[in-house]
Amino acid sequence: MAIAPQTFQEMDLAISLSHERSKAYKIDPNITKAPESSRLKPGELKTRIENQKTFYTIAKDQIDSLYNLLKSTGFCMALADKEGYVLYIVGDADLEEHFRNRHCTPGYRWTEKDMGTCAIGITLADKKPIFVPGNKMYATLAQTISNSGAPVFDVDGTLLGVISLSGYTHKMHIHTLGLVCQAAEAVTSRIKEQIHTKQLAIKNKYMSALLEAGTRGIVTVDPKGCIVQTNKKAQVMLDLPDNCIGKSFSLLTKTHFNFEQILQKGKRFLAREITTAKGTNFLSLDPVIMDNGEMVGAILSLTEKKEIVQLAMEMTGSQAHFTFNSIIGKSATIQKAIEIAKIAAKNSASLLIYGETGTGKELFAQAIHNASDRCKKPFVALNCGAIPSELLESELFGYEEGAFTGAQKGGRPGKLELADTGTLFLDEIGDMPFNMQVKLLRALQTSEIRRVGGIRTIPIDIRIISATNKDLKKEIQQERFRPDLYYRITTLSITIPALRDRQEDIPLLLEYFLKRHNTQLTIENSISLKAKDLLLQYQWPGNIRQLESAVERAIHLADGKIIKPEHFGIQKAEIQENTNNTKLTLDEIEKDAIEKSLNYHQGNLTQCAIALGISRPTLYRKLEKYHIDIAITN
């Protein structure tokens, strides 16, 4: 900060007031040196300098620079802190000797209260520059020496100390005051610069820490797309050379889109795929635009593909939640299936799960995944029978941007790609179109895929768990399923028993479903003995899914009262016929159950599907399979 000069009259007044204060302090005009009581104890001077090191170092440099101009011309300079303690002194030998004799040396305090009127003392008191002629010094011994003193301020205006210039009275002139004022202002200016430099260094350190923090790669580019800065993560992800700064980002990374054109538009984009020898990553761009609208560059952030996939799995719920503890049952048949499943979980061999609709095939698949060494990796499920054949390829393999009309911008990964390093569960694989079976087989054999409309191959590492309710050997005989794919997916196989083959588990399942739905609805339903007996006699063609649906229906119909047989919507005739037709085939039992349910629900497919514990698409397929022609209402 600029130091305001004083007029001669103002300085004379300041000196007169200082004399009055000196008298009030009872300073002896014949005092020869500063009292010992004003001296710092051993070690305190070093501590004091260390505590104000920036001020001391910068001020000392300024004093030394100025003294080099005045050397051997009869001058001496001193630096004192805001409390008046002398920190540093430099000057011609005779003057240094004079100041040593008067104790005006580092470690002694030099204020009006110690020595009376002097440049350091008045400057500390008034915080203004002063020139004190020798004849106006308070102490008689000091009158052969004249002083100039200037205050040194911090950048916030607080007083840091005083710089003084002394010399023999016949050599001193008031112009010397300008020299110390300039030196004091230079100290403040350099302190400000140092603070600014330190702040910039701190900001740069924070920026560097931010660049290196987290799992993302960060690259900054100029308006032409040349690299300005990059973190270590980005260098590894993009396989960038050490001398990449100043080089074209698109040339180094071989982007398959017009990066420079996108950059010039100054618009951000998200999750563009970029592939290098190190693998596939997703690139996002945020332009850096000044207040005047000038685009000065961009920040590019890179996310590893596996991180995006994991996030997608979490957001879409494509994760395995069930474990072997989730499988309810103590019957020998279900325990045998669990035992085989636990063996399957110890390796990554392909696995086929047989079981009727509603037996819990996906529950087993999730349990196996969660017990395997891929448990922390993606679990992706795809129902091969629920997706139209013309869409199944893009669902499995994904597609590139522009692959077909309506294709998502930037393309989209398929289920095989999303399941990389994890498990892909292909439910109802027996319903997969024949032409798609060939493409799936090739992907499994080569461990590579190619998106629809794409030219690059993408390596995959997945475990395949398939499931079906069909006899795939019969499907092979009828040329509806490829034998080579069958052998590829059946290294291991598990058969999950139908509910009618594990009737001792029905009470356990009933208790579980009652408790779960009662908790959700905050009610306390109980079930009658007749209703339990009814459930034990029924054959449950829709298996566990049908049982759960029936329990939920009964809870709602009972409305908080005791659940009775009629609440399940099961007719006695169904139980009687099921009992008498135990020699019927599974297909015959299933067809009969569907026809009776449709008749009972007057052709309402939705109600029929709920009662059977299956989905509407599955019911449609079974109607077609069994050639059931019946009036349908919604």
Side-chain angles (χ1 to χ4, degrees), residues 111-130:
T111 67
E112 289 180 337
K113 291 182 179 181
D114 301 300
M115 295 300 296
T117 301
C118 61
I120 292 176
I122 297 178
T123 304
L124 290 172
D126 295 343
K127 298 182 178 62
K128 293 179 180 180
I130 191 77

Side-chain angles (χ1 to χ4, degrees), residues 214-217 233-234 236-238 274 278-283 301-311:
T215 58
R216 293 193 175 190
K233 185 70 176 179
V236 173
M237 292 170 72
L238 298 175
I274 183 168
K278 292 290 185 73
T280 301
N281 302 292
F282 289 90
L283 176 71
S301 58
L302 293 136
T303 307
E304 288 183 299
K305 179 181 175 181
K306 63 182 180 181
E307 187 176 334
I308 290 286
V309 170
Q310 183 62 35
L311 180 61

Side-chain angles (χ1 to χ4, degrees), residues 235 240-247 252:
Q235 284 188 273
L240 295 173
D242 292 336
N243 61 343
C244 63
I245 304 302
K247 295 184 179 179
L252 286 178

Side-chain angles (χ1 to χ4, degrees), residues 512-513 516-517 540 543-553:
Y512 172 77
F513 292 138
R516 191 173 77 180
H517 289 294
W540 301 106
N543 293 291
I544 297 172
R545 191 180 295 139
Q546 184 188 4
L547 173 61
E548 181 179 9
S549 178
V551 171
E552 186 177 6
R553 176 181 186 274

Side-chain angles (χ1 to χ4, degrees), residues 294-536:
E294 180 187 4
M295 200 276 291
V296 295
I299 297 174
L300 310 177
S301 58
L302 293 136
T303 307
E304 288 183 299
K305 179 181 175 181
K306 63 182 180 181
E307 187 176 334
I308 290 286
V309 170
Q310 183 62 35
L311 180 61
M313 294 300 98
E314 292 173 0
M315 292 181 69
T316 59
S318 298
Q319 293 177 294
H321 301 290
F322 298 111
T323 66
F324 285 118
N325 291 331
S326 306
I327 302 173
I328 298 169
K330 60 181 181 180
S331 63
T333 53
I334 196 67
Q335 288 299 317
K336 181 65 176 176
I338 293 172
E339 181 183 345
I340 297 172
K342 287 182 176 178
I343 293 172
K346 295 178 181 179
N347 57 69
S348 291
S350 57
L351 171 68
L352 179 64
I353 302 176
Y354 284 103
E356 296 177 18
T357 298
T359 51
K361 296 187 288 296
E362 183 167 353
L363 183 138
F364 264 79
Q366 289 194 23
I368 291 168
H369 173 83
N370 276 331
S372 73
D373 57 4
R374 296 175 183 252
C375 60
K376 294 183 180 179
K377 303 298 182 179
F379 177 88
V380 181
L382 177 67
N383 189 318
C384 302
I387 299 173
S389 57
E390 62 272 16
L391 298 179
L392 186 57
E393 183 176 7
S394 61
E395 279 292 321
L396 264 175
F397 294 91
Y399 56 82
E400 296 287 4
E401 182 176 336
F404 50 82
T405 302
Q408 182 176 303
K409 191 173 183 179
R412 180 179 166 187
K415 295 293 191 290
L416 283 160
E417 197 173 338
L418 290 173
D420 187 35
T421 70
T423 300
L424 177 63
F425 175 59
L426 297 174
D427 199 7
E428 298 188 29
I429 195 169
D431 293 330
M432 179 177 284
F434 202 78
N435 66 317
M436 279 303 303
Q437 294 176 27
V438 179
K439 295 179 180 180
L440 175 62
L441 176 62
R442 177 170 177 76
L444 299 182
Q445 287 175 333
T446 62
S447 296
E448 290 181 341
I449 62 167
R450 183 176 294 167
R451 291 184 182 179
V452 176
I455 57 173
R456 62 190 175 94
T457 57
I458 302 171
I460 56 171
D461 169 25
I462 58 174
R463 187 200 188 158
I464 294 288
I465 299 180
S466 307
T468 185
N469 59 4
K470 292 183 176 182
D471 186 338
L472 293 186
K473 290 183 178 179
K474 286 185 178 180
E475 295 294 305
I476 292 171
Q477 291 172 1
Q478 296 173 15
E479 297 185 347
R480 289 198 292 261
F481 202 85
R482 292 184 62 90
D484 43 7
L485 178 59
Y486 171 78
Y487 294 119
R488 186 77 190 181
I489 64 174
T490 54
T491 304
L492 298 171
S493 64
I494 300 171
T495 299
I496 303 176
L499 187 55
R500 62 182 168 276
D501 296 328
R502 44 180 291 215
Q503 284 193 321
E504 61 266 47
D505 292 334
I506 291 177
L508 293 174
L509 291 164
L510 177 61
E511 181 183 351
Y512 172 77
F513 292 138
L514 273 174
K515 184 178 180 181
R516 191 173 77 180
H517 289 294
N518 278 339
T519 301
Q520 289 175 352
L521 298 171
T522 63
I523 58 175
E524 286 294 334
N525 268 313
S526 60
I527 186 168
S528 68
L529 291 175
K530 286 186 178 182
K532 286 183 179 180
D533 185 57
L534 173 73
L535 301 184
L536 288 170

